[in-house]
Amino acid sequence: MARVDVTVMGAGVFGLSSAYACARRGARVRVVEWSHPGAGASGTPVGALSPHVPEQWNPKKQFQFESLIASAAFWAEVEAESGRSTGYGRVGRYQPIAGEKALARARDRALEAGTLWQGQASWQVIRADEARGLVPETPSGWLVHDTLSARIAPRDACAALAEAVRAHGGEVSCGAEGPLEGRVIWATGYPGLAELSADLGHQVGSGVKGQAAILAHDAGAVPQVYADGVLIVPHADGTVAVGSTSEREFDDPYGTDARLDAVIDRARAVCPALADAEVIERWAGVRPRARTIAPMLGGWPGRPGHFVANGGFKIGIGLAPKVGELMAALVLEGRDDIPEGFRVEASL
């Protein structure tokens, strides 16, 4: 490219979704990545796209809800333009209910969801014997079944987004540094939070290590499970991903250890169907967590023409459809629709 309108630093899901949204608007885009699409936290095998509970509603929950609703059409479009699968499927989610108090709370949330989710998804209380697939152990005999949760194969999704950017004339340059031409979006994960903190003289975020595993078990297109702090996600390729840990202190960002063994053991206890499933991959990475725990989006303070898209933490892939649109509108049109709690300044 002789000239670039937007340079995106980082080919994780925030960087690629921003690049894709810019390219679809006709901008000339270059994505610069040190390794390959999804090399950082976006390469997690888990791929759980799940909502916050439908209560105590706030702008963050509304933003997430809108993005999760938009996800089916968004990822279908990415698949069509890239010719690659993303593994997306709105399969729902089961959560066990511990006892009578939890059962009453779950039923209250079901009523709240009827209003807050606008009839586009439901939060139901069902008996465990009505469930199918990976049915978790539940002391009460009852489960929450929400129909908003979805699964995705994060690595495949990042690869598909990269191809979709190319399909719109964009460039995805991996393994090499590129010039910072045009406006620049910094989507560089937890190292980017450290760089931003150093530049601003204020700790705006940090990295939280997560460990996950892939098990050989073909559960089919059935609901994912969240129980005992463990995510259990059946994927379309005949595997089940389980995760993850949350480690604020760590020596080896990419090493797995006994903490992951404990997660796998809990997953097997929660879903006995996984008891003999072979572990075929162990994974570790560091997720970018902004100080507010919300995504960090907007202009880089004191650096005109530079922008930040970071802090996806545990929900970044689910937010990607709307994050990309917000960043493209800001960078290309100067339209700032970023929620107050998502701004870089909110972490200062």
Side-chain angles (χ1 to χ4, degrees):
M1 287 185 180
R3 181 173 172 271
V4 171
D5 299 313
V6 180
T7 299
V8 179
M9 301 299 293
V13 72
F14 273 12
L16 288 167
S17 61
S18 299
Y20 177 59
C22 288
R24 289 180 70 243
R25 284 168 164 78
R28 287 167 290 194
V29 176
R30 177 187 291 130
V31 180
V32 178
E33 166 59 42
W34 69 275
S35 181
H36 61 274
S42 294
T44 171
V46 179
L49 312 183
S50 301
H52 287 90
V53 295
E55 64 182 9
Q56 299 177 350
W57 212 237
N58 56 43
K60 178 181 178 180
K61 290 186 177 184
Q62 180 64 28
F63 186 95
Q64 184 197 44
F65 169 77
E66 292 173 1
S67 195
L68 290 174
I69 289 295
S71 288
F74 175 83
W75 291 112
E77 185 176 70
V78 169
E79 290 184 344
E81 294 186 354
S82 68
R84 301 181 66 125
S85 171
T86 67
Y88 177 85
R90 190 167 148 183
V91 294
R93 175 181 59 173
Y94 293 143
Q95 299 179 79
I97 297 173
E100 289 302 318
K101 288 185 178 180
L103 180 60
R105 186 163 61 249
R107 286 174 170 153
D108 287 343
R109 288 171 174 169
L111 295 174
E112 288 276 6
T115 300
L116 296 171
W117 289 0
Q118 305 162 25
Q120 298 184 76
S122 63
W123 176 287
Q124 308 164 351
V125 175
I126 66 170
R127 295 199 60 86
D129 56 16
E130 299 172 12
R132 61 190 181 89
L134 295 174
V135 182
E137 296 289 303
T138 173
S140 67
W142 295 89
L143 300 168
V144 169
H145 177 209
D146 84 74
T147 63
L148 181 53
S149 293
R151 70 181 182 194
I152 199 164
R155 302 165 189 175
D156 292 343
C158 287
L161 269 173
E163 287 304 314
V165 170
R166 294 185 178 111
H168 282 277
E171 177 185 349
V172 181
S173 178
C174 296
E177 295 184 5
L180 300 182
E181 297 184 75
R183 298 177 177 88
V184 182
I185 299 174
W186 294 88
T188 45
Y190 90 98
L193 291 180
E195 183 178 356
L196 185 61
S197 296
D199 182 71
L200 300 179
H202 190 89
Q203 187 70 30
V204 299
S206 60
V208 178
K209 181 179 176 180
Q211 299 184 46
I214 301 175
L215 279 59
H217 180 86
D218 191 352
V222 298
Q224 60 181 274
V225 172
Y226 180 66
D228 195 19
V230 178
L231 289 162
I232 302 170
V233 185
H235 284 287
D237 63 355
T239 65
V240 172
V242 301
S244 61
T245 63
S246 288
E247 304 167 42
R248 299 294 293 273
E249 297 183 3
F250 49 88
D251 295 320
D252 181 0
Y254 307 111
T256 63
D257 54 31
R259 294 180 181 87
L260 179 55
D261 296 334
V263 167
I264 295 169
D265 288 344
R266 294 208 308 275
R268 296 188 194 280
V270 165
C271 289
L274 300 177
D276 298 319
E278 178 188 1
V279 177
I280 57 177
E281 183 180 342
R282 296 163 67 93
W283 176 92
V286 183
R287 298 163 294 194
R289 179 189 184 276
R291 186 178 181 185
T292 61
I293 316 181
M296 183 183 292
L297 310 173
W300 186 310
R303 193 180 289 190
H306 290 245
F307 304 84
V308 176
N310 209 326
F313 195 32
K314 298 180 180 181
I315 60 174
I317 296 178
L319 300 184
K322 279 185 69 70
V323 164
E325 290 299 315
L326 280 183
M327 295 305 297
L330 177 64
V331 171
L332 299 179
E333 304 166 15
R335 192 174 80 243
D336 187 349
D337 296 326
I338 297 171
E340 287 297 324
F342 289 11
R343 298 181 184 277
V344 177
E345 291 80 5
S347 291
L348 296 178

